[in-house]
Amino acid sequence: MTNRRGFHIRSAAGISALLTATTLLSGCGSDTLSRNPDAAPSKTSAPNVSQDVALDATLLESALPRQRNVPSNFSSERNIKAWDGSKSDFCLSDRWAESWCAKAISIGVAGFTDMEDEELEIYVISLPGADTAERLFTSKGTEAEVGSNPPGDQIDRFEISSSPSTGLDGEGVTVRQGGVIARIEYTRSPGTQTSDQELMAITTMVVKRIQQAQRGENPTASVE
């Protein structure tokens, strides 16, 4: 604001005239700026969106990959769906621990097949927050199992022997990103070995899609 203490205005009429002129000039200036098509838009900072958010069933389902997002050898989708966490029977049937199901905000699953001898299943559970998920996620993969810079906040790897859902052997990864935990199961016919590189590429894609959903974005990540 301009400092007017050095000015001596001798009459009330003079003060009134000055205020009126100032108001008119100020109004004209702002109107000209708002209507100027060449004026630079004002800069606003991006909202600070926390990734420690619970995903409801709609958001969790958006984070689940589609057939176009997974390796091309999985030519067919079997099931892509998310449910409210109150569906405890669904949660338990997806083989999540009872203590996890008791706290679940939502659960989801995406399944893919090559129609012959390869199956990919991705199970996801959203918990009330990162602190809760971190307390429940007690296992930890070694560097030999998951690499030196694996995706996610926490990660573990496990072997699958005769999967309850596919009857096949394979390997899997459990990974936490914020308050969401995903379990990726890649099974194949007996005698074949799961590709470490492909399994971790799928895991990275799943983590990225969860992050995008947590930021309020439309998940677009795919296996590269």
Side-chain angles (χ1 to χ4, degrees):
M1 181 178 293
T2 303
N3 186 350
R4 301 186 184 277
R5 292 183 182 178
F7 291 90
H8 297 280
I9 302 175
R10 295 182 180 180
S11 67
I15 294 173
S16 176
L18 179 61
L19 291 176
T20 301
T22 303
T23 301
L24 289 172
L25 287 172
S26 175
C28 289
S30 60
D31 185 62
T32 301
L33 179 62
S34 64
R35 295 184 185 182
N36 184 358
D38 297 323
S42 60
K43 293 182 179 180
T44 56
S45 58
N48 183 19
V49 181
S50 171
Q51 292 190 33
D52 184 16
V53 294
L55 301 182
D56 62 19
T58 299
L59 291 174
L60 194 68
E61 186 165 331
S62 75
L64 293 171
R66 273 53 179 178
Q67 190 275 328
R68 64 182 177 274
N69 307 125
V70 301
S72 58
N73 49 304
F74 295 105
S75 56
S76 179
E77 297 176 357
R78 286 201 294 107
N79 187 27
I80 298 176
K81 182 67 178 174
W83 298 269
D84 184 85
S86 62
K87 305 283 188 182
S88 58
D89 51 338
F90 289 3
C91 184
L92 293 170
S93 68
D94 284 346
R95 292 171 280 121
W96 293 112
E98 187 173 354
S99 58
W100 296 28
C101 293
K103 299 179 183 297
I105 301 297
S106 59
I107 53 173
V109 61
F112 308 91
T113 178
D114 70 345
M115 303 302 290
E116 293 181 9
D117 57 1
E118 287 188 317
E119 301 282 339
L120 174 63
E121 295 174 311
I122 300 168
Y123 300 90
V124 189
I125 182 169
S126 179
L127 295 159
D131 289 344
T132 300
E134 184 177 5
R135 286 196 301 271
L136 293 174
F137 198 113
T138 56
S139 57
K140 182 179 180 180
T142 65
E143 184 174 329
E145 293 172 327
V146 299
S148 59
N149 187 29
D153 296 322
Q154 291 174 281
I155 190 168
D156 192 21
R157 186 165 173 169
F158 57 92
E159 292 186 359
I160 302 169
S161 178
S162 190
S163 165
S165 56
T166 67
L168 302 173
D169 298 337
E171 294 193 41
V173 168
T174 306
V175 62
R176 178 181 72 83
Q177 180 60 45
V180 179
I181 297 174
R183 191 178 74 245
I184 297 125
E185 299 185 359
Y186 189 160
T187 54
R188 309 179 72 167
S189 58
T192 58
Q193 187 173 2
T194 303
S195 164
D196 290 347
Q197 184 176 1
E198 190 167 47
L199 180 58
M200 294 311 294
I202 294 168
T203 303
T204 298
M205 174 270 295
V206 171
V207 168
K208 286 181 178 179
R209 292 183 69 87
I210 291 171
Q211 289 175 317
Q212 290 171 329
Q214 289 170 328
R215 292 195 297 262
E217 301 171 2
N218 178 37
T220 57
S222 296
V223 170
E224 298 177 358

